[in-house]
Amino acid sequence: MHALTLLAALSAAGASVTASPLGPPKLPRSSASDTNPFVGKKLFANPKWAAKLEDTYKSFTQKGDKANAAVVRKVEKIGTFVWVTSRSGLSEIDDAIKAARDEQSRTGQKQIVGLVLYNLPDRDCSAGESAGELSSKNDGLRIYKEQFVKPYAAKLAAAKDLQFAVVLEPDSLGNAVTNTGVAFCAQAVPTYREGIAFAIKNLQLDNVALYLDAANGGWLGWGDSLPLAAKEFATVLSLAKPATIRGFSTNVSNYNPYLTNNTTRPRDSYTAGSPSYDESHYASSLSPYLIQQGLPSHFIIDQGRVALPGARKEWGEWCNVGPAGFGHTPTTDQTVLQNGNVDAIVWVKPGGESDGQCGMAGAPRAGAWFGGYVEMLVKNADGSVKA
């Protein structure tokens, strides 16, 4: 579900690394009247993911590693998004709703359930590791609308006692921006646009905040790609009118740090020349172009997994990157975020689920549990996880 290597992606777009035509990116702040849907709520911690982590806990315990076993116990309580990736997987929504209601009743704490809607026909057109069940050649778009999006929306509409944050079709519009040089992607783009617009229109619910996926800073954050990305997003939103979204998700299933500096987290050398050298700066760099297109400039940023400094030789490495660790815990605290455009740091990709049969040796198919990998994530977890 990811881009080609960075150089290939830029080549396909005919892009070069240049300064933004709008000049240095400014940091527009969202209106004070806007309501951040994450504030005052707990991101739902999926018990199904926690159950998978039990083997990780046992592994550390058997090794006598009490410190990392204790970290696992903390990770189990951290909220993550639930991925809904097929028609048969729609039952994941029912399970999440039941568990979130139980938790909300037990604790009295309002839950926000994070969901990913990910089942477009011709999905993952460039990389292919996360190809899905639907094909545009086999009536896939109609099936997507009628048998996936509509029941998906109906389930959320019936759960008015819960708040939902929905990430729409990760990486799909990234491919539309940079990978139309791939014939399969060029053919898929009209389907992507129509399918996502249909999902947006059908999920206009008071208890749902929609975040259209904007890939990541290493993919779309270069000077020439930023206006192209905003234009593509605007194209999709024009098809969905008068429907709206809350904002955009970035870094989903990727490994970019939220914020780099000269002390605790140095900037990686391959980010030289990019205004989007970390995900916070990507949000800041993209925001002026979104505003120019009349689009919202709110973001949620995935920090479920973060590559350690030096782990990658180039930005285009996306599959089971190592070494990496669990990133900063989900938060809306602006003393951490330091960016008025960012609604929250979240964990969209549940750490431990493989990116595909690539990257580290022994990696299983995309979405399958990768036990050795999650142990690495625990060992390298951010200090906020261990606190």
Side-chain angles (χ1 to χ4, degrees), residues 208-282:
V208 175
L210 296 178
Y211 291 89
L212 183 58
D213 191 68
N216 62 78
W219 187 348
L220 300 182
W222 298 87
D224 287 352
S225 294
L226 289 164
L228 298 177
K231 184 177 179 181
E232 179 61 37
F233 304 150
T235 296
V236 172
L237 267 297
S238 69
L239 295 174
K241 282 183 177 179
T244 59
I245 59 172
R246 167 65 187 175
F248 298 85
S249 57
T250 82
N251 204 44
V252 171
S253 296
N254 211 279
Y255 295 85
N256 297 336
Y258 177 76
L259 191 63
T260 59
N261 52 47
N262 295 324
T263 53
T264 57
R265 173 67 199 228
R267 180 174 171 176
D268 289 299
S269 60
Y270 51 73
T271 68
S274 172
S276 307
Y277 49 88
D278 56 43
E279 290 301 299
S280 178
H281 281 87
Y282 176 41

Side-chain angles (χ1 to χ4, degrees), residues 86 102 126 165 179-180 184 205 224 272 286 328:
S86 66
D102 289 346
S126 64
N179 286 333
T180 53
F184 187 37
L205 303 167
D224 287 352
L286 182 58
H328 198 289

Side-chain angles (χ1 to χ4, degrees), residues 1-5 8-14 118 120-131 168-190 192-193 196 213-216 219-220 225 228-229 232-233 236 282 318:
M1 67 176 259
H2 294 271
L4 299 173
T5 63
L10 291 172
S11 176
Y118 185 54
L120 274 172
D122 307 333
R123 192 177 74 191
D124 197 20
C125 63
S126 64
E129 287 289 341
S130 297
L168 296 169
E169 299 293 352
D171 288 1
S172 298
L173 296 184
N175 280 314
V177 175
T178 69
N179 286 333
T180 53
V182 177
F184 187 37
C185 288
Q187 296 168 9
V189 167
Y192 286 3
R193 289 171 176 166
I196 294 172
D213 191 68
N216 62 78
W219 187 348
L220 300 182
S225 294
L228 298 177
E232 179 61 37
F233 304 150
V236 172
Y282 176 41
W318 58 266

